Amino acid sequence: MRLAVVAAAVVVAGAGTVWDVTASHADERAAVATARTRVPVRADVLVFLCTGREKDHELCHRRAATEEQKKALAASLREVPGVAKVTFEDRRTAYKRFRTAFAGQSDIVSKVRAADVPESYQVTVLPGTKLEKVVAAAKRTPGVALVSDRTMTDGYNPARFKGADDVTVFLCGASSPESSCRKYERSKTLKRGKGITADDRKKLGREIKAMPEVKKVDFEDQAEAYAGFRKEFADNKALLAATSASDMPESFRIQLKSDTDSSKVAATLEKRPGVAQVMDMRCFAAGTRLSSDHGIEREGICG
């Protein structure tokens, strides 16, 4: 199993599923007269409508969801067994909710306009209802750009990330496929594979600790990473069977000071010798929240 796959799996451990209706980008634009009921504080499934701004989207075709599509969608959602309530959220309300959610992140707020924020149907279900049924009823419906469910919004609740890593630096291992690791191997005086040397690892650790933006840094070896991986994916027998401790990347897990730009720290560290991949976890979490909670998918949203 490759580093990138394992690293990504570890990062999203415990999160649910965001259902991109066509594996494309999903933004939102539709203006309509549907009863503006108060949006529930917590929805089980969020169904984001086409805005007309999506690129290469199979169901949107660069057109906003029509009134007919909205009515058909609302009717089909209400017919799903277990659905208790279907509430429409217009763009004005959605944009206000987005700005409230990201009030402390002006760099993100400044990049999202009201026209980028989708209208949606927010669905609450009765206890014991399988969310997959609601998702299935919505995700292939014309006029729908993106569907997310509660397992995703729960997984990326901001409270969960309190005290979590802001930046994770994965190190080159013996079998790392990244081009940065191949380049690192060629640069080494003694050719002993792609894995980072002990000296370079120590040097990188000292550099990270000395960075003024860094609040705390921990090193995680393969054994620790594997133990955490097995705990997170205890119910996924197939994944556990296909993964061994040697697949786990060593890493530095970094917490930053609150006023720090995590994207700049990540950009600096990804250039260091022996580094396979750097994940900006603040940006990752923000991007996931944008998509799962607000139906906004945008490249380069951070920094």
Side-chain angles (χ1 to χ4, degrees):
M1 181 173 293
R2 294 293 181 258
L3 166 66
V5 176
V6 174
V10 171
V11 165
V12 300
T17 307
V18 127
W19 303 84
D20 186 331
V21 176
T22 64
S24 265
H25 283 211
D27 298 55
E28 238 274 325
R29 170 194 174 73
V32 130
T34 312
R36 287 179 178 148
T37 323
R38 185 176 182 276
V39 174
V41 173
R42 174 192 178 87
D44 296 303
V45 176
L46 302 175
V47 183
F48 298 103
L49 305 177
C50 297
T51 65
R53 302 166 69 90
E54 296 82 6
K55 297 179 181 178
D56 303 319
H57 198 290
E58 181 182 335
L59 297 179
C60 292
H61 305 294
R62 289 186 176 274
R63 293 193 294 269
T66 65
E67 286 297 328
E68 290 73 19
Q69 288 173 337
K70 293 177 185 181
K71 291 177 182 177
L73 173 63
S76 67
L77 290 173
R78 292 187 176 105
E79 292 175 357
V80 177
V83 167
K85 188 175 182 181
V86 177
T87 306
F88 178 75
E89 181 180 66
D90 62 32
R91 178 175 293 107
R92 184 175 181 178
T93 305
Y95 185 55
K96 182 178 180 180
R97 182 167 64 86
F98 153 73
R99 290 183 65 89
T100 300
F102 288 87
Q105 295 173 268
S106 58
D107 56 329
I108 293 177
V109 171
S110 66
K111 294 177 182 177
V112 177
R113 298 175 298 171
D116 298 322
V117 181
E119 294 177 331
S120 67
Y121 281 104
Q122 307 202 1
V123 184
T124 53
V125 302
L126 299 173
T129 301
K130 292 186 177 181
L131 300 184
E132 293 88 342
K133 292 182 178 181
V134 184
V135 170
K139 68 176 183 176
R140 299 300 300 175
T141 303
V144 174
L146 184 73
V147 184
S148 74
D149 67 45
R150 187 184 63 229
T151 59
M152 176 58 93
T153 55
D154 281 356
Y156 286 95
N157 186 310
R160 177 185 172 183
F161 282 85
K162 187 175 181 180
D165 308 324
D166 295 310
V167 174
T168 302
V169 181
F170 293 103
L171 307 181
C172 292
S175 59
S176 298
E178 286 75 13
S179 60
S180 59
C181 296
R182 294 194 296 271
K183 181 179 179 181
Y184 174 67
E185 181 181 25
R186 292 193 297 269
S187 71
K188 291 159 70 174
T189 304
L190 298 175
K191 307 297 182 182
R192 293 181 180 174
K194 291 178 284 188
I196 189 170
T197 65
D199 287 343
D200 284 341
R201 183 172 58 242
K202 290 177 182 177
K203 181 179 178 181
L204 178 60
R206 289 194 297 268
E207 179 183 353
I208 294 173
K209 289 179 181 178
M211 295 177 76
E213 303 91 343
V214 172
K215 177 182 177 182
K216 180 183 178 184
V217 58
D218 292 309
F219 175 72
E220 183 176 79
D221 61 23
Q222 286 184 312
E224 292 170 323
Y226 188 55
F229 181 84
R230 290 189 63 84
K231 182 178 179 180
E232 288 284 3
F233 292 93
D235 295 330
N236 193 330
K237 304 303 181 184
L239 182 60
L240 292 179
T243 309
S244 65
S246 62
D247 294 316
M248 296 291 111
E250 296 179 325
S251 63
F252 286 105
R253 298 181 175 271
I254 306 168
Q255 291 182 26
L256 302 174
K257 296 174 183 176
S258 59
D259 58 348
T260 298
D261 186 341
S262 59
S263 63
K264 291 182 179 179
V265 173
T268 296
L269 294 176
E270 69 182 2
K271 301 173 185 176
R272 294 298 181 259
V275 171
Q277 180 183 12
V278 178
M279 297 196 74
D280 181 347
M281 300 306 296
R282 278 188 186 174
C283 185
F284 181 82
T288 302
R289 285 176 56 210
L290 272 174
S291 177
S292 64
D293 291 359
H294 304 278
I296 302 168
E297 290 194 330
R298 179 73 62 80
E299 297 291 338
I301 195 67
C302 301

